[in-house]
Amino acid sequence: MTTSPTRQRTSIQLCARQLGFTLIAEASDLGVSARLLSPFERPSLSSWLQRPDAYEAIVWSHVDRAVRSVLHMSELIEWSRRNSITLVFGMPEEHRPLVITPQAAGDAVRRCMDLAHAAEQEARAISARLTSAHEVLRAAGRYGGGLVPFGYKKSPHASGVGWSLVPDPETVTVVRAIVNGVHSGRSLVAIAHELEIAGVLVPRDRHAYLQGRPTGGRRHGRDFERYRWTAGSLCKILRTPALMGHRVHKGKTVRNADGSPVLIGPPLLSEEEFQALQDTLKARSNGPRRKRRETALLIGVAHCAGCGGRMYFAARKACAYGDYVCRASARGTTCTAPAGIRADWLNEYTVSHYREAFATDGEVTRGQLLKDGVRVIVVKGRSGGGPKRLTGPDTSRLTFTIESRT
């Protein structure tokens, strides 16, 4: 288990004591790369950067915990000046934090930019070394870290150096049961639902559990104690060549110079069994995907009152219009009152209320609705109703709200 979060927290607390600050909250983005994402793109931190009136300073344990890019540092300093926020970076090697006030200029800012440049160069060097190391590990058939393929567990490599993978007795039986379910004609949604009821951990959560880390995490703005099985997560397991014991990189089998697959461990399925599984999945698919339509206006805006989950657009055959529907089953959950409503009706209702609330008559886009915190809750309707149902939506089922962004 990593001790980095504890060390960072201790450093931040020391900086706060030295400067006489009172810590009011903590933003933790474990597993998020400062090299790839700016502070404004990280789930936990970005929510605080959107409300600078709630505090006067931000403290990081070190510059490289804040940014690993000169561009990102420039953006952060500009933001701090615009919002009158002091930036503090712990400097353990100097026993005194680096403080950048909104009025700072000259040497202090140049120092910040130099440290950001050094962090950027270090990140590039580390990335290059890791890429090279993983290429060697892939060629040798060794496990190089990361998510262990479902059905396997780590084991010392036969050479005595590093790790390989071996079948995991606890999950091999699950893999077999899933494969048998597919061949018997059961849907992936039904299989996912059964796994949920049985309490089987998804691959990501099982990996975390075996590593002694908490399960679950944050996804689509929501926190989960553990992730759920879905048809999509099952499909990833069933289509990966790792089931044959192959080393896989970016979804493809890694091969030796002679074209043979690099093996990471004993196969869970023979090549014949794996191919039969792919043929079954292909036969059950809906054929070539049609060109993807533009994202529906209210994705992320419309929510089902029964389960609180997002509603998604579903086309209707032989109809010019579609519907927004609850998709709890696709998420591996059960909704006690799944809602559904004609898309054009809900679009019109939402746009009308938005224009009234914001005193505008211009075009309304999905981006605007999400940015302004618009949320529409849809309650399940009752069956029946006769011709009245064709005249328009029952607005008593709908609730239009604007979430505070302060």
Side-chain angles (χ1 to χ4, degrees):
M1 181 180 294
T2 180
T3 59
S4 179
T6 301
R7 294 199 306 272
Q8 292 179 48
R9 191 173 289 113
T10 300
S11 176
I12 289 170
Q13 292 169 347
L14 176 61
C15 289
R17 284 198 300 271
Q18 289 177 325
L19 298 173
F21 289 170
T22 299
L23 295 175
I24 63 170
E26 175 185 290
S28 178
D29 286 309
L30 297 180
V32 177
S33 171
R35 181 176 70 89
L36 300 177
L37 299 180
S38 79
F40 304 95
E41 297 172 308
R42 296 171 209 161
S44 181
L45 179 58
S46 63
S47 65
W48 281 97
L49 297 181
Q50 292 171 12
R51 41 196 175 111
D53 295 339
Y55 48 89
E56 297 178 352
I58 303 179
V59 184
W60 283 274
S61 61
H62 200 275
V63 169
D64 61 12
R65 297 296 89 188
V67 299
R68 289 199 172 191
S69 158
V70 172
L71 175 61
H72 293 167
M73 177 61 83
S74 177
E75 292 173 344
L76 187 60
I77 291 175
E78 176 59 31
W79 172 88
S80 71
R81 288 175 172 172
R82 191 168 61 250
N83 294 284
S84 299
I85 298 295
T86 296
L87 307 177
V88 179
F89 307 102
M91 302 291 288
E93 64 276 15
E94 298 182 6
H95 307 291
R96 186 71 184 172
L98 173 61
V99 180
I100 307 297
T101 65
Q103 298 79 28
D107 292 342
V109 173
R110 279 194 294 274
R111 178 84 190 286
C112 254
M113 300 303 289
D114 288 344
L115 289 170
H117 181 262
E120 183 174 352
Q121 294 299 106
E122 180 185 21
R124 287 177 178 172
I126 291 174
S127 178
R129 288 198 299 271
L130 287 175
T131 298
S132 177
H134 279 281
E135 287 176 354
V136 173
L137 290 172
R138 284 196 294 274
R142 292 193 183 125
Y143 167 69
L147 186 63
V148 175
F150 195 67
Y152 289 93
K153 65 178 181 179
K154 290 196 309 181
S155 178
H157 195 271
S159 66
V161 179
W163 299 88
S164 62
L165 299 179
V166 297
D168 175 11
E170 293 186 27
T171 52
V172 164
T173 55
V174 177
V175 172
R176 279 289 178 185
I178 294 171
V179 172
N180 291 337
V182 171
H183 284 309
S184 67
R186 307 200 64 239
S187 73
L188 295 185
V189 171
I191 295 173
H193 185 61
E194 280 190 358
L195 293 173
E196 278 295 306
I197 293 175
V200 177
L201 295 177
V202 301
R204 183 178 296 278
D205 281 345
R206 178 157 180 80
H207 182 71
Y209 171 77
L210 293 176
Q211 296 293 315
R213 299 199 303 267
T215 59
R218 191 172 183 83
R219 180 177 289 173
H220 301 311
R222 297 174 60 196
D223 293 314
F224 296 87
E225 291 187 6
R226 69 180 187 86
Y227 292 117
R228 297 183 177 276
W229 285 98
T230 65
S233 59
L234 281 173
C235 201
K236 288 180 181 179
I237 293 173
L238 296 172
R239 292 193 178 279
T240 175
L243 290 174
M244 296 183 288
H246 292 189
R247 161 68 69 187
V248 176
H249 181 56
K250 295 184 178 180
K252 302 294 184 181
T253 295
V254 177
R255 299 187 178 276
N256 292 307
D258 61 3
S260 62
V262 174
L263 300 179
I264 54 172
L268 305 185
L269 300 179
S270 67
E271 291 189 17
E272 293 75 15
E273 289 174 320
F274 182 77
Q275 189 56 54
L277 175 62
Q278 304 314 302
D279 292 342
T280 300
L281 292 171
K282 184 177 181 180
R284 290 169 48 176
S285 69
N286 295 322
R289 292 182 179 272
R290 292 177 294 179
K291 183 178 179 181
R292 188 173 181 179
R293 69 173 73 89
E294 293 184 7
T295 302
L297 178 67
L298 302 185
I299 300 300
V301 177
H303 290 73
C304 171
C307 61
R310 289 182 177 185
M311 297 179 71
Y312 290 88
F313 181 84
R316 281 197 183 195
K317 290 183 179 179
C319 289
Y321 61 88
D323 301 291
Y324 288 108
V325 296
C326 174
R327 293 293 303 277
S329 61
R331 297 192 295 270
T333 61
T334 300
C335 179
T336 57
I341 188 171
R342 267 183 58 161
D344 54 348
W345 286 353
L346 193 59
N347 287 345
E348 183 179 351
Y349 168 88
T350 304
V351 169
S352 174
H353 279 66
Y354 177 87
R355 286 173 173 163
E356 181 179 348
F358 288 89
T360 180
D361 57 3
E363 180 186 4
V364 177
T365 66
R366 176 171 175 262
Q368 286 177 290
L369 295 172
L370 294 173
K371 178 182 177 182
D372 292 326
V374 173
R375 190 181 181 95
V376 178
I377 308 298
V378 184
V379 175
K380 180 181 179 180
R382 57 186 179 84
S383 59
K388 291 183 179 180
R389 297 187 65 191
L390 302 177
T391 62
D394 176 5
T395 56
S396 66
R397 297 170 51 202
L398 310 177
T399 304
F400 178 94
T401 62
I402 300 174
E403 296 181 343
S404 173
R405 293 302 191 195
T406 59

